[in-house]
Amino acid sequence: MLRIWGRTTSSNVQKVLWTATEIGVEFERIDAGGSFGRTNEPAYRAMNPNGLVPTIEDGDFVLWESNTICRYLAAKHHATSLYPSELRQRADVERWQDWGSSVLAPAIFPAFFGLVRTAPGDRDNAAIRASAEKTAAALAIVEARLAGRDFLCGAALTLADMGIAINTYRWYNMDYASVGYQRPEMPALAAWCARLGARPAYREWVMVRLV
Ligand SMILES: N[C@@H](CCC(=O)N[C@@H](CS)C(=O)NCC(=O)O)C(=O)O
């Protein structure tokens, strides 16, 4: 059976859990990373030299990098709705996955770390506000993209939506007001989040308490 290593509080692990659940792949999950440790043990490092989560084992095949894992699972199980086989549609999906990891995730991380994982007295409020501004600028691109579309790549959910949706959930559920920041209105983004909320796999893995 597919084995997924990683704590459920990690956005990159959530991406893989959500994908596997959407596809209907059976898996076992082992807590690793954060307070669970394990990622510095030699056996884990032998699978993933980065010492990060997620990592999967599919039989004797080991894979790390969350976006690559999602593409592998979707391709293996012929989930062409999530990951199209037509070249240009596929590239469009991959482009948004890359953007989610290289632009949106680094933009939101300082605010997430500050507001969720740092005690109020130790927070760098200016850094949190700067992160909020950067995240708003990134999400304005998603807002524009969603005009006239239900999902990022058209009428159906694809892998493109997932990584971005996880950080958008965080965007709407972090206490930015505590540092004097007010989120700008983004109606298409809010409607897309509400649409995602109808999906059991999103509710199971993404709509969870932020820790
Ligand atoms: N590019 C990697 C990044 C993986 C990553 O940064 N994982 C974080 C959690 S989101 C991690 O392992 N942090 C250390 C830990 O949890 O111990 C991927 O997408 O899989």
Side-chain angles (χ1 to χ4, degrees):
M1 188 193 297
L2 175 69
R3 181 175 295 155
I4 300 174
W5 293 83
R7 57 188 169 86
T8 57
T9 50
S10 144
S11 58
N12 289 311
V13 174
Q14 288 175 352
K15 218 187 280 178
V16 171
L17 296 169
W18 183 7
T19 301
T21 306
E22 286 283 350
I23 296 171
V25 188
E26 265 192 72
F27 61 85
E28 64 166 329
R29 190 186 61 78
I30 301 180
D31 274 321
S35 60
F36 296 100
R38 285 200 161 118
T39 49
N40 283 322
E41 290 172 7
Y44 190 87
R45 288 276 170 156
M47 292 194 295
N48 184 340
N50 305 289
L52 296 173
V53 292
T55 301
I56 64 161
E57 288 178 273
D58 188 19
D60 60 1
F61 182 58
V62 174
L63 194 62
W64 41 266
E65 278 303 328
S66 58
N67 292 336
T68 306
I69 294 170
C70 294
R71 291 191 289 263
Y72 167 78
L73 292 176
K76 176 174 175 177
H77 297 281
H78 310 287
T80 51
S81 174
L82 286 183
Y83 187 42
S85 40
E86 195 278 322
L87 186 61
R88 291 182 182 192
Q89 288 175 10
R90 177 172 283 209
D92 189 26
V93 168
E94 291 169 342
R95 174 257 299 274
W96 285 107
Q97 287 186 293
D98 290 349
W99 183 89
S101 294
S102 63
V103 178
L104 181 59
I108 202 170
F109 186 75
F112 178 76
F113 194 78
L115 291 171
V116 177
R117 296 198 177 146
T118 306
D122 297 333
R123 287 177 187 161
D124 179 344
N125 290 352
I128 294 171
R129 281 192 295 271
S131 164
E133 297 288 358
K134 268 193 171 177
T135 307
L139 289 175
I141 294 170
V142 180
E143 170 75 8
R145 170 73 180 194
L146 286 169
R149 290 183 179 87
D150 278 355
F151 295 95
L152 274 168
C153 294
L157 179 85
T158 68
L159 297 183
D161 297 284
M162 293 176 166
I164 295 171
I166 290 165
N167 277 318
T168 306
Y169 180 78
R170 291 180 169 188
W171 166 252
Y172 281 121
N173 288 279
M174 292 198 297
D175 185 12
Y176 285 108
S178 67
V179 295
Y181 179 81
Q182 199 182 345
R183 282 182 293 267
E185 292 292 319
M186 296 195 202
L189 190 76
W192 171 69
C193 278
R195 221 170 277 129
L196 291 167
R199 307 189 78 90
Y202 170 85
R203 285 206 300 276
E204 180 175 4
W205 299 115
V206 184
M207 291 180 77
V208 294
R209 197 169 67 86
L210 300 181
V211 280

